[in-house]
Amino acid sequence: RIKLPQFNTIDDAVDLILKSHNIVVLTGAGISTSLGIPDFRSKDTGLYSKLRHLGLNDPQEVFDIHIFREDPTYFYTVARDIIPSGDRFTPTHAFIALLQQKGKLLTNYSQNIDNIEAMAGILPEKLVQCHGSFATASCIECKYQVPGEAVFPDIRAGRIPRCDKCIEGLRRLKAPNAMKRKRSANGEKKKRRFDNDSDSEPEEDYDIPAAGVMKPDITFFGEPLPDKFSDRLTGHDVDKVDLVIVIGTSLKVAPVSEVIPYLPASIPQMYISREPVSHVNFDVDMLGDCDVVVAELCRRMDWELKHEMIPEN
Ligand code: OAD
């Protein structure tokens, strides 16, 4: 794509935002780092730089669905550190919410799984969580879905969350001659007969490891994106969008990275992030801390960006 020659300064960015009514905002992990949540690919601080000890060929494999099915412990050792906590959001989330409040937000396509956009007040109909989120979790066997928080205690305690529906099914299958495997005190697996009296049966008598594993509804590598992603993009946004703002993403992961070339080349595109990307030709690059950049944009537009993390002048 050839840059649109008429737009290239921060004041052009301000003019574009002021005159646009249907802005597509595409976000990545960089918009949450000021809350202490690591991004993925920053050289020394990104999550992937800290996973060498897991011994995977590629750290992205912690989010690979085939690996998860084989051994969910890789994901769960990492998940403990990335599950959302608290209800805080950043000035950049507040900026996107402000675009919505001003009637300018067409859609926020977020690659983030922290579900913080929802906390900042981005309406569900304006939000596409392209890679899913921790908001819900499902059993990988029977698809039983629960609110994400229901599996957080297990994740925090270092346990693999199991499906209550499957456990219930196993319980119902319990018959006088049903056999189960149970670990003896010395760790050996033994066959043991179920007790027939359910009231007297202690919880550990159920073969919990046979129940399905719960997985937060994050889109892993090897899984399709939610239908809403392509439905919204191709059936709604492509003909309406009048400005694209990309914030805090390295644009390394398809198909989200393909949103930019898919949208009409005549639509102005701007980029806010710490580092430039070489594979996309943005009209305006605003490089730096995104919270600082959006605060400056708001200052120039005379918009009040209310947030406790913005230092007062
Ligand atoms: P990356 O880690 O690849 O990129 C984040 C970008 O944000 C980098 O270019 C950083 O320089 C920049 N950045 C970090 N903090 C910033 C700040 N405060 N202000 C401005 N820029 C900042 O993360 P994503 O592009 O989001 O997939 O990664 C895309 C996908 O790859 C993720 O959704 C994830 C991962 O594998 C899944 O979880 C399935």
Side-chain angles (χ1 to χ4, degrees), residues 28-30 33 39-41 48 111 131 219 248-250 274-275 288 290:
T33 54
D39 65 10
F40 294 91
R41 295 179 184 78
Y48 292 153
Q111 297 166 92
H131 294 162
T219 309
T249 170
S250 60
R274 280 190 183 144
E275 293 154 37
C290 56

Side-chain angles (χ1 to χ4, degrees), residues 27-34 37-43 45-48 60 63 82 92 110-113 131-132 218-221 247-253 256 271-277 286-293:
T27 48
I31 73 162
S32 298
T33 54
S34 58
I37 301 169
D39 65 10
F40 294 91
R41 295 179 184 78
S42 282
K43 199 162 162 274
T45 52
L47 184 68
Y48 292 153
Q60 291 193 144
F63 296 110
I82 58 170
T92 304
S110 174
Q111 297 166 92
N112 297 346
I113 51 181
H131 294 162
I218 295 166
T219 309
F220 276 37
F221 293 102
I247 319 178
T249 170
S250 60
L251 287 176
K252 292 235 166 89
V253 177
V256 174
Y271 185 62
I272 304 172
S273 201
R274 280 190 183 144
E275 293 154 37
V277 285
M286 288 170 278
L287 302 181
D289 193 319
C290 56
D291 292 339
V292 173
V293 173

Side-chain angles (χ1 to χ4, degrees), residues 74-128:
Y74 288 109
F75 169 72
Y76 277 115
T77 43
V78 173
R80 235 196 297 197
D81 298 328
I82 58 170
I83 50 174
S85 58
D87 53 4
R88 298 183 65 214
F89 53 88
T90 69
T92 304
H93 292 95
F95 170 69
I96 303 166
L98 196 54
L99 289 175
Q100 172 180 275
Q101 205 181 308
K102 304 249 176 213
K104 291 178 179 290
L105 180 67
L106 183 61
T107 304
N108 177 195
Y109 290 90
S110 174
Q111 297 166 92
N112 297 346
I113 51 181
D114 53 28
N115 201 34
I116 295 179
E117 305 85 6
M119 277 177 241
I122 314 292
L123 298 169
E125 61 269 29
K126 298 245 171 223
L127 177 64
V128 179

